[in-house]
Amino acid sequence: MSEFLGYEREDGSVGIRNHTVIVSTAPYANDTVERAADIVEDAIPITHPLGRCQTKPDVFQTYRTLLGYATHPNTYGAVVVAHAGEIVDGDELAADVAETGRPSASINIHEEKGVMNALDATVDAAQEMAIEASAQRRVPADMSKLTFGINCATSDTTSGLCQHKATAGAVWRLIDDHGGRGCFAETPEFFGGENELSERAVNDEVRQEILDRVEHWDERLQATGYDVRGAQPTPDNMDGGLTTIEEKSLGALVKSGDGPIQDIVDYGAKIPDGSGMYIMDTPGHGAESVTGIGAGGAHFMVISTGQGHTLSNAVMPTIKITGNPNSAERVPEETDVDVSEALVGDEDFDWATDQLWDEIEDVVNGKMTMSEALGESQFAIHRIGPST
Amino acid sequence: MPDRYLQVVEPSDNVATALRELEAGETVTVGVGDEERTVEVVDDVEFGHKIAIEEIADGDTIVKYGKSIGNATEDIPAGTWVHVHNVESNYGRGDLADESEAATISE
């Protein structure tokens, strides 16, 4: 298959889903957003504790992340709900959404004279968009349009030995055979493998940038005065046999394969349109890294897990793969693809890659993932500094 | 025949990952590159955890994927369970940072 069936957007992107998103710009709009999303079929709430009393770098990062979801390839249109005048401006966000040709609406709780009127207006706007979205047909699109997000979650020692190999196989199949792109993240999980990773950069500038960002994370962690061992590996990683951050990193990097790295982009920034593999600079915190990759425009995410994980994203469907036979049995609803036969059975990693690739083909054409069927989703924007 | 459930990633590794539960006292054969090595298991080891496949001295590098994953904090005889109790990381060591540079955070 060199084509898939997707939803065309005016900005040239093609979605694999057709969501109406309702975006909160500040914590004080979260309840209105959640309530409206409960009422309107297939509306996705985007809520968070940020958007006010933040310093400039955090404001940019929050805005960029919210805009990324409001203009995601899988987003049909966006209703932006603001509380009052905030540093993340609702009208500005809605205007930036409209620039991509997507329907957009801006609701302000103060201007509406309270949450009841604001809820009414939000539901009205979202309902209209959801009906319009449902009338749009899927059309054939080239697979080179697709961006493959990669993350690991509750890693254990099977991750680097098995499921990450299948993930790498599938993402490079999209890049090499179909001209698509991939994106992986979690910079603190490069510790111990950063030199080899940086050698894969397409040029010296990108190579140095990878090393600089790893060093920056090490400095940020050390500046807390605490040992990273207090936070990484996580207790679930250690249960699964991972001993140090270096071991976790070396395993984690297996999922990126060994091909060239085109660039490293900021948290939540748009993943470039070119074909190839990109890095997003995010923490290892799964909800934050996945939220960032989603904001970057990845169409779907493969979560390569050892012990099983609920981690998922509402706008960017998440496909869970494990190579740990115990996990596939213990948390079946967190397992879209079980490739443990490649680790402890008679199958090989080409088979494992095929299993994942088949699932990807189905999901990009509309098949629900386990987490979509359950309505599981976590959203967490990474913050750089303190609130003010 | 090497035990397929004990996986050594690179020939220079000094640990193997157990893909089955190991019992103290059993003797296992581990494939290390083209060679085989016989190790007596010292501790019970859970699925996914590691054992030393050679003698590792206190302070020595623990090698997996052909790279350092930290240092031994005690002597680790072959066949011993290798985990957080006898290995330490070399990254993000805020606890080793110059105290004057480290941020003060009240406990």
Side-chain angles (χ1 to χ4, degrees):
Chain A
M1 178 181 81
S2 60
E3 287 187 332
F4 69 102
L5 294 173
Y7 299 100
E8 282 185 322
R9 310 291 175 212
E10 276 187 31
D11 61 6
S13 64
V14 181
I16 65 169
R17 296 291 184 271
N18 214 27
H19 297 303
T20 297
V21 300
I22 309 179
V23 182
S24 170
T25 66
Y28 311 114
N30 284 353
D31 289 344
T32 302
V33 165
E34 294 283 354
R35 285 170 171 150
D38 272 350
I39 293 169
V40 179
E41 179 74 14
D42 197 37
I44 307 277
I46 303 288
T47 57
H48 55 87
L50 309 176
R52 71 191 310 274
C53 298
Q54 292 187 287
T55 58
K56 277 264 165 56
D58 265 312
V59 174
F60 290 145
Q61 186 153 292
T62 301
Y63 190 91
R64 183 167 63 214
T65 305
L66 296 175
L67 182 63
Y69 280 88
T71 60
H72 191 279
N74 297 345
T75 295
Y76 172 79
V79 182
V80 178
V81 184
H83 168 244
E86 304 284 3
I87 48 176
V88 169
D89 186 85
D91 289 340
E92 186 186 345
L93 189 60
D96 282 349
V97 176
E99 286 224 340
T100 68
R102 286 172 179 74
S104 79
S106 177
I107 314 290
N108 184 296
I109 292 171
H110 271 217
E111 288 172 14
E112 293 287 337
K113 294 188 165 52
V115 292
M116 295 303 289
N117 292 336
L119 177 61
D120 195 12
T122 305
V123 169
D124 267 357
Q127 179 191 28
E128 191 178 325
M129 282 181 207
I131 291 169
E132 288 171 7
S134 73
Q136 193 183 359
R137 300 276 189 275
R138 284 183 182 262
V139 295
D142 198 275
M143 286 192 78
S144 64
K145 294 278 187 187
L146 291 172
T147 303
F148 184 135
I150 316 166
N151 213 88
C152 44
T154 307
S155 294
D156 66 14
T157 49
T158 69
S159 300
L161 300 179
C162 182
Q163 51 269 37
H164 287 359
K165 292 184 182 177
T167 302
V171 68
W172 284 98
R173 188 177 294 186
L174 177 66
I175 294 168
D176 291 336
D177 297 354
H178 303 284
R181 68 209 57 74
C183 181
F184 67 104
E186 305 176 281
T187 316
E189 295 182 12
F190 304 164
F191 287 2
E194 68 270 33
N195 290 319
E196 193 171 63
L197 176 66
S198 69
E199 290 303 319
R200 292 165 51 193
V202 292
N203 59 43
D204 285 347
E205 194 182 340
V206 174
R207 186 182 62 78
Q208 192 58 47
E209 189 67 25
I210 291 170
L211 293 174
D212 288 349
R213 297 213 184 211
V214 169
E215 190 180 346
H216 180 65
W217 272 98
D218 200 9
E219 287 168 0
R220 269 181 86 180
L221 291 164
Q222 290 196 40
T224 67
Y226 285 80
D227 177 359
V228 70
R229 286 175 302 175
Q232 292 280 6
T234 58
D236 50 356
N237 295 148
M238 290 189 276
D239 287 346
L242 290 174
T243 301
T244 61
I245 182 63
E246 296 98 304
E247 183 184 15
K248 182 174 176 176
S249 298
L250 292 168
L253 285 169
V254 171
K255 69 185 185 290
S256 72
D258 55 11
I261 307 291
Q262 304 297 321
D263 206 354
I264 178 164
V265 301
D266 290 337
Y267 181 92
K270 171 121 180 33
I271 300 161
D273 288 330
S275 177
M277 185 71 92
Y278 295 86
I279 298 173
M280 183 176 285
D281 183 12
T282 78
H285 183 307
E288 293 186 3
S289 60
V290 167
T291 296
I293 294 171
H299 290 78
F300 63 92
M301 162 77 60
V302 170
I303 304 272
S304 186
T305 179
Q307 303 270 290
H309 205 297
T310 59
L311 187 55
S312 48
N313 185 279
V315 174
M316 169 183 61
T318 50
I319 300 166
K320 313 275 180 65
I321 180 171
T322 188
N324 183 331
N326 304 325
S327 302
E329 195 172 323
R330 191 171 57 232
V331 282
E333 76 274 19
E334 309 300 345
T335 310
D336 291 281
V337 184
D338 171 11
V339 293
S340 54
E341 284 295 306
L343 188 67
V344 294
D346 297 327
E347 301 290 353
D348 61 17
F349 293 112
D350 288 337
W351 168 86
T353 298
D354 288 341
Q355 297 297 109
L356 177 58
W357 185 256
D358 288 349
E359 186 69 13
I360 289 168
E361 285 192 333
D362 286 344
V363 168
V364 301
N365 281 289
K367 181 188 175 186
M368 273 191 182
T369 63
M370 290 287 204
S371 57
E372 279 184 298
L374 294 174
E376 285 275 324
S377 178
Q378 301 81 32
F379 188 84
I381 303 173
H382 176 60
R383 61 194 307 168
I384 303 161
S387 300
T388 62
Chain B
M1 273 286 283
D3 188 328
R4 60 177 297 196
Y5 295 106
L6 279 165
Q7 201 164 117
V8 176
V9 187
E10 294 290 334
S12 58
D13 292 0
N14 53 18
V15 293
T17 304
L19 298 174
R20 63 178 176 84
E21 293 188 355
L22 302 179
E23 282 183 28
E26 67 174 300
T27 301
V28 294
T29 305
V30 185
V32 186
D34 295 332
E35 295 172 9
E36 290 184 6
R37 202 174 299 171
T38 300
V39 177
E40 186 165 343
V41 178
V42 175
D43 310 290
D44 288 347
V45 175
E46 287 181 37
F47 177 96
H49 286 238
K50 295 175 292 298
I51 62 164
I53 55 171
E54 61 190 45
E55 305 292 321
I56 303 170
D58 186 4
D60 276 1
T61 302
I62 309 292
V63 182
K64 183 182 169 186
Y65 295 104
K67 298 191 176 64
S68 168
I69 62 163
N71 293 334
T73 56
E74 60 188 39
D75 290 336
I76 304 176
T80 303
W81 179 37
V82 173
H83 200 39
V84 294
H85 60 288
N86 53 15
V87 180
E88 67 177 11
S89 165
N90 291 312
Y91 274 81
R93 296 298 299 272
D95 58 332
L96 300 180
D98 183 340
E99 283 182 14
S100 63
E101 289 179 11
T104 306
I105 300 174
S106 53
E107 299 272 357

